[in-house]
Amino acid sequence: MNSNPHKTAGHRRRTRVLAASLALTATTLGVVGCDRAAAGTLEGSHLQLPVSGGTAVVDTDSLAVTAHTSGGRQLVLSDGAAGGLGKPGPVTQTADGARWSYPDKGLQVTARSERGRLRIKLRSDRDGSVNWPVTGTDRAASAVQVPRGEGLDIPVRDAFWNAAPEKGGLAGSTVDMGEALSLPLWGYSMGGAGGGSGVSYLTPTDLGTSLRFASAGGRLRTTAQHAFDAGEGTRDYDVSFSLTDGNPVAPAADYRSYLSQHGQLGSLRKKIRQNPANGKLLGAFHAYVWGDARTAAGVDKLKKLGVDRMWLGYDAGPDPMNAQAVRAAKKAGYLVGPYDTFANGQDPKTADSPTSAWPGRVFPDFCVRKADGTPETGFGNRGCYLSSRAFENAEPTKHYLADRTRAMVANGADSYFLDVDATGELFRDHGKGHEMTKAGDRANRLARMRRLSQHLVLGSEAAQSWANKVLAYDHGSGTPVDDGLWKLERDKKTWGGYYPEKAPGAFFKPVRLPRRMATAMYDPRYRAPLYETALHGSLVNVERWELSYEKLPAQKTTRALLAMLYNTPLNYALDGPAIAKNGPELAALQKYFSPLHRAAGTEQLTSFRWLTGDRTVQRTVFGNGKLTVTANFGTKAVGGLPGGCVDAELAGDAQPRRLCPAQLNG
C-alpha cells in the first residue's frame, strides 16, 4: 500500500418511504419531462419554468433563482452571481425554456425544464470564472448536505461547523467538486427535519468546479465557482436544481435518478451476472492480511471461527499470498486480491516498491509533465505520477498493464485493488506525445478499469461516482475524512510506521483521534448516507483501508452501528495475533452482517430518517422494505432499543435481529 495515503441503523415497524426525494425516480420521468407546458413563461427579466413540485423562476439579469412550491412556499435557490455578470443580452424563448447571453463575461446561457429539474448551462468563449450558484441564503435554510465521504448533514447554525477548518469546521474552506467530494452535488433543507422543502444542486461538470463555504451571521452558506479553461476543456458549466422534500438524503436520491436517466448508474446485480465472483462481496467483511494471516493456515482459522465471507487483500511487498493460500481462501468462499497501482513510477534500480518498478523506459518517459516540462512528483515525494495517456498509447503493442496484472494474479487471485484510479486526483499532462486534460485522464482510467473488471472483482481507493459502473467495491468513500487526518498519519510516533513488515504500526497501532476530528468524521448526529442513497446496489462501499476497525478503539461501537445502518462492510487489518485476539469478535459481527448484506446489498436505499429530535436514533430501509435497520447511537433506550445497539428486520422476520457491538468487545 502506498505509504502516503491520498487526500486525495419485538414488532414490525412500518416506515414511510421518502415522499418527494426518493419518488423522484418516477416523477422526474413523467410529470414534467414530456409535458409541452415545459416551455415556461417570460415576464420582464423573470423566466418561469415548471419543475417537479412547483415552479422555478430565473432572473435573467443576475442568474438569481427562486421557486414557488406546490405547497405554497417561496424559496431562494440561489442569489445572483457574485461579482455580477454585466448587462444581459436579449432573451430568446425556446421550446423548453430560454437562452440569452452576458456579453461582458463572454457567456451564453440556456435555461430549461428537463425531467422535472431546472437545468442551466453556461458556455464561455474565454477563460475566466463565475461564482454561482450562491446558495444557503434563504432564511429558512436549516441544514446543508455535503457528500464528504459517505455524507454529512450539517445544521447551518451549528457552531462546530461554522468554525475554521483548523478547528474542524468548514467556514472559509474551498473543496474541489471533482476531487474532494464523493458525489458532484450539495443540497439544503428548509425549515428543519420534517419541514417538507429542500433543494438539490447537481454539477455534472465537476471538473473545474469548486464549492466554497462561508459563515455569515453564524450560518453556513455555500458558493460554487467554475473555472472556464479552454486548455482543460472546461468552457461548459452545467447546474441542475431540484425541489425536494427536505430529507437529508434527497439530493443523493435526485442524483441517483439523474444517473439512471443518463445511463450512468451501475448495477451490482449485473456485475454479478457478468462475473459471478462479484457475488462473493455480498456478506463479506474486508481485511488486509499480514504475516500468518496470509497463509492457508490463517485462512482456515477465520473459516473455523465461522466467517463465511471475506475479501482478503495484501500489499505489494516481497511476501504476497501464495497459490496455496489463495486456494484455501477460494475454498472458504472468500475473495483474494493484490494491491497494485498504475500511478507511480520510480527508477527500477532504487524503487522502494515492486509496484513502482516498470520495464524499459516507462520511467521516466511516462511521467506526467507540468507545463514547464518538469515531472509531477509521485506518492510521498517519490518518483513521478505516470500518465494514463502514455499507458493507453503503449498498451496495444507493449502490454505493460496487461503483463503487470497477469503477473499479480498468477497465484489465482480473483480480485484486484487498484489504488487511486477511481479517486478525484486527476492530472493534466503536458508531456510530449501523451498530452491529456483531467477529463482525458478520467476517460483513460475508466477504460483500463473497465478492462480489468471483465475478469476480476475490481476495487479502488475512495471511488468517485463516475467510476460506479466499472468498480465492484471501494476502500475509502465510506469515510468523511477531516483534513487533519493526513497530518496525523504523517506523525509516525503517534500513528505508527510501515514496520515491522509483518504487522506495520500504521495498520495495527491503536490511535485516539483528536476530539475535533472524531466529531467531524464520526459524530452520528452529522452523518447522512448520501453515497449509499446514490450508489447502494451499484457497488460495495467501505471505509479507508488504513482505518481498520481496530485502529480507532473509541469509535468502534459507532462504526459498527453505522456499518449495519448503511448496510456496508467493516474493514480490518489482520495478522496471526490479531486473528487470535479479535477473530471471535469479527466473526460475531460478520455473522450478523452477512444475511443482511446478502439480502440487501444489491438493493436501493429507499428511506433514511431520524426517529428522535437529537438525531441519535436513525432508521434506514432498503429495497422498499426488504431490510429495515434502526440504530441507537445514544446512551438511553428508545422504543425498547438500548443505547449502542441496532435492530435489523428482513422482510418475513418474526422479530428484529439485535446487535449490541460493545458487548462483543473482548
Coordinates of all heavy atoms in Angstrom, one line a residue, residues 73 140-143 189-197 245-247 610 615:
R73 N -44.9 27.5 -0.7 CA -43.8 28.2 -0.1 C -43.0 28.9 -1.2 O -43.0 28.4 -2.4 CB -42.8 27.2 0.6 CG -43.4 26.6 1.8 CD -42.4 25.8 2.6 NE -41.4 26.6 3.2 CZ -40.4 26.1 4.0 NH1 -40.4 24.8 4.2 NH2 -39.5 26.9 4.5
A140 N -34.9 30.5 5.6 CA -35.5 29.2 6.1 C -34.5 28.0 6.0 O -34.8 26.9 6.5 CB -36.7 28.8 5.3
A141 N -33.3 28.2 5.4 CA -32.3 27.2 5.2 C -31.9 26.7 6.6 O -31.5 27.5 7.4 CB -31.1 27.6 4.4
S142 N -32.1 25.4 6.8 CA -31.8 24.8 8.2 C -30.6 23.9 8.2 O -30.0 23.7 9.2 CB -33.0 24.1 8.7 OG -33.5 23.1 7.8
A143 N -30.3 23.2 7.1 CA -29.2 22.3 7.1 C -28.7 22.2 5.7 O -29.4 22.4 4.7 CB -29.6 20.9 7.5
S189 N -31.8 21.8 3.2 CA -33.1 21.6 3.8 C -33.6 22.9 4.3 O -32.9 23.7 4.8 CB -33.1 20.6 4.9 OG -32.6 19.3 4.5
M190 N -34.9 23.1 4.1 CA -35.5 24.4 4.5 C -36.5 24.1 5.7 O -37.5 23.4 5.5 CB -36.3 25.0 3.3 CG -35.5 25.1 2.1 SD -34.2 26.4 2.2 CE -33.7 26.4 0.4
G191 N -36.2 24.7 6.8 CA -37.1 24.6 7.9 C -37.0 23.4 8.8 O -37.9 23.1 9.6
G192 N -35.9 22.7 8.7 CA -35.6 21.6 9.6 C -36.2 20.3 9.2 O -37.0 20.2 8.2
A193 N -35.9 19.2 10.0 CA -36.4 17.9 9.6 C -37.9 17.9 9.7 O -38.5 18.4 10.6 CB -35.8 16.9 10.6
G194 N -38.5 17.4 8.6 CA -39.9 17.3 8.5 C -40.5 18.6 8.0 O -41.7 18.8 7.9
G195 N -39.6 19.6 7.6 CA -40.0 20.9 7.1 C -40.7 20.8 5.8 O -41.4 21.6 5.4
G196 N -40.3 19.7 5.1 CA -41.0 19.4 3.8 C -40.5 20.1 2.6 O -41.1 19.9 1.5
S197 N -39.4 20.9 2.7 CA -38.9 21.6 1.5 C -37.4 21.5 1.5 O -36.8 21.5 2.6 CB -39.3 23.0 1.4 OG -40.7 23.1 1.2
D245 N -38.1 17.1 -0.8 CA -39.0 17.1 0.4 C -38.2 17.6 1.7 O -38.7 17.5 2.8 CB -39.6 15.8 0.7 CG -38.6 14.7 1.0 OD1 -37.4 14.9 0.9 OD2 -39.0 13.6 1.3
G246 N -36.9 17.9 1.5 CA -36.1 18.4 2.6 C -35.4 17.3 3.4 O -34.6 17.6 4.3
N247 N -35.6 16.0 3.0 CA -35.0 14.9 3.7 C -33.5 15.0 3.4 O -33.0 15.4 2.3 CB -35.5 13.6 3.2 CG -34.9 12.4 3.9 OD1 -33.8 12.0 3.7 ND2 -35.7 11.9 4.9
W610 N -34.4 10.3 10.9 CA -34.2 10.4 12.3 C -35.5 10.1 13.1 O -36.5 10.6 12.7 CB -33.6 11.7 12.8 CG -32.3 12.1 12.1 CD1 -31.1 11.5 12.2 CD2 -32.1 13.2 11.2 NE1 -30.2 12.1 11.4 CE2 -30.8 13.2 10.8 CE3 -33.0 14.2 10.8 CZ2 -30.3 14.2 10.0 CZ3 -32.4 15.2 9.9 CH2 -31.1 15.1 9.5
R615 N -31.3 13.3 17.0 CA -30.7 12.5 15.8 C -29.9 11.3 16.3 O -29.2 10.7 15.5 CB -29.7 13.4 15.0 CG -30.3 14.6 14.4 CD -29.3 15.3 13.5 NE -29.9 16.4 12.7 CZ -29.3 17.0 11.7 NH1 -28.0 16.6 11.4 NH2 -29.9 18.0 11.0

